[in-house]
Amino acid sequence: MGGGLDSAALGTTYMHEHIFVLTPELLQNYPAGWDEEERLADAITKLRELKALGVDTIVDPTVVGLGRYIPRVQRIHDQVDLNIVVATGLYTYNDIPFRFHHYAPDADSGREDPLIQLFAKDITEGIAGTGVKAGFLKCAIDEPGLTPGVERVMRAVARAHRLTGAPITVHTSVRNEGGKLTQRILREEGVDLSRVVLGHSGDSTDLDYLRALADAGSILGMDRFGLDSILSFDDRVATVAKLCEGGYADRLVLSHDANCYIDWFPNDLLALALPNWNYRHISQDVLPALRARGVSDAQIRLMLVDNPRRYFEHGGAY
Ligand SMILES: [Zn+2]
């Protein structure tokens, strides 16, 4: 579990799956509805099902802002024969948490952003005394665009990447072509864009946009299969098939952005509204549909095995 793992051992890898997405401060103060043991047992069942479908590794981008809590993930990992690669970084679409407002970087005095060392230590030393090292960095840019808070986190992520060599995953929104903004900032910070997954690119059917991002070197996260409310199953599958046909299979990764429990929605309604948003959908529905559209087994292997391996295995001090 965590970073420092042998990239050759990753096997079939889903590059963007959460286990729990929670709001810890609310959970501590309003715990009604949360049963820790029940939720752990449920997660273990779901992750065992995923393993039984032939998946060896999930890459979990749950960072601060999404409720990262490694001891809970460790308890699950102990019961499941699955690699879980955990992340460091910070998830915000707007501001930085108040905790960091008065610890801003300052070019005049040479004071660097304290976020950089927090992120880097998660990668090199491990997270909060758990012994688990983060394997990659995560930040977000959504519809508010490049707010001061979003830009600060993204630049800190880039600098921690430069220090450690750990790759980067960015939550982007296709509605404001967030992939392009992300590439601009990361390029300014000297990041090799081939070490960057542009998450949620698969919410777009705009092949010109997607090819431009891939031509600049980045890996496209076709990573929300099952979130059919944002883009339909057919459109998601067709877009991946067209990109494969155009020679882009070495720039794509597949995932669901699913979870075992998320406190953002009533989970009973979620299961009704989004019946395909679960860890099983790619194996059971997406891969057969891709094959029917002419995607080869070699291309599927690139997206599920070789591209994840390449993403994690370049250099790096971790
Ligand atoms: Zn996500």
Side-chain angles (χ1 to χ4, degrees):
M1 175 165 159
L5 55 78
D6 175 6
S7 58
L10 291 173
T12 295
T13 301
Y14 287 171
M15 284 286 276
H16 192 126
E17 304 294 349
H18 302 273
I19 299 176
F20 297 118
V21 176
L22 298 168
T23 314
E25 194 178 8
L26 289 171
L27 205 58
Q28 286 163 14
N29 287 284
Y30 304 99
W34 174 263
D35 181 329
E36 181 88 14
E37 296 310 314
E38 187 185 328
R39 296 270 63 91
L40 284 171
D42 177 67
I44 289 162
T45 301
K46 288 172 177 165
L47 291 168
R48 283 179 179 164
E49 282 173 3
L50 175 68
K51 174 70 185 186
L53 289 166
V55 175
D56 304 300
T57 302
I58 60 168
V59 175
D60 179 354
T62 308
V63 291
V64 167
L66 292 168
R68 185 183 75 174
Y69 183 57
I70 298 301
R72 187 180 287 126
V73 177
Q74 283 177 298
R75 285 190 63 195
I76 293 165
H77 180 253
D78 288 346
Q79 304 288 320
V80 180
D81 181 20
L82 188 76
N83 301 315
I84 302 171
V85 183
V86 302
T88 186
L90 203 151
Y91 186 88
T92 180
Y93 299 168
N94 298 290
D95 296 332
I96 208 145
F98 283 115
R99 167 68 179 78
F100 300 108
H101 271 217
H102 302 291
Y103 296 84
D106 180 51
D108 293 337
S109 69
R111 188 174 64 226
E112 359 180 76
D113 196 326
L115 291 172
I116 300 168
Q117 280 305 320
L118 291 183
F119 298 160
K121 283 183 181 167
D122 278 355
I123 294 161
T124 57
E125 294 175 16
I127 298 169
T130 60
V132 176
K133 292 178 179 176
F136 68 114
L137 290 139
K138 161 82 180 289
C139 60
I141 177 167
D142 203 273
E143 287 190 52
L146 197 66
T147 67
V150 163
E151 181 170 357
R152 191 176 149 189
V153 175
M154 193 176 284
R155 291 192 188 278
V157 158
R159 288 175 196 193
H161 158 83
R162 296 286 305 272
L163 286 175
T164 63
I168 299 171
T169 289
V170 183
H171 162 112
T172 65
S173 170
V174 300
R175 293 201 187 109
N176 60 354
E177 302 205 326
K180 287 185 179 170
L181 277 167
T182 300
Q183 287 187 328
R184 176 164 72 77
I185 298 300
L186 295 183
R187 200 185 275 118
E188 281 175 15
E189 294 289 338
V191 175
D192 171 357
L193 295 179
S194 72
R195 309 295 318 284
V196 178
V197 168
L198 295 173
H200 316 328
S201 294
D203 290 346
S204 175
T205 57
D206 181 345
L207 294 174
D208 290 337
Y209 169 67
L210 296 170
R211 283 189 293 243
L213 298 178
D215 288 340
S218 298
I219 301 168
L220 307 183
M222 312 307 276
D223 55 13
R224 279 179 158 174
F225 280 101
L227 264 173
D228 300 334
S229 54
I230 297 176
L231 186 68
S232 73
F233 172 77
D234 286 340
D235 281 342
R236 289 183 187 279
V237 167
T239 303
V240 171
K242 285 177 197 164
L243 287 169
C244 285
E245 198 183 327
Y248 287 93
D250 66 346
R251 298 285 161 85
L252 307 178
V253 292
L254 306 180
S255 210
H256 306 95
D257 194 13
N259 57 74
C260 298
Y261 186 89
I262 180 167
D263 69 6
W264 298 8
F265 310 100
N267 277 239
D268 48 346
L269 297 181
L270 201 56
L272 293 174
L274 294 169
N276 295 324
W277 199 34
N278 59 66
Y279 299 140
R280 303 179 305 278
H281 182 48
I282 288 176
S283 305
Q284 294 177 340
D285 307 308
V286 175
L287 297 182
L290 288 173
R291 288 191 177 99
R293 285 179 175 268
V295 176
S296 71
D297 286 345
Q299 288 169 324
I300 289 172
R301 190 185 155 83
L302 275 172
M303 295 187 283
L304 291 179
V305 179
D306 300 336
N307 298 343
R309 177 178 173 171
R310 177 165 45 89
Y311 171 76
F312 281 108
E313 89 186 345
H314 287 254
Y318 66 105

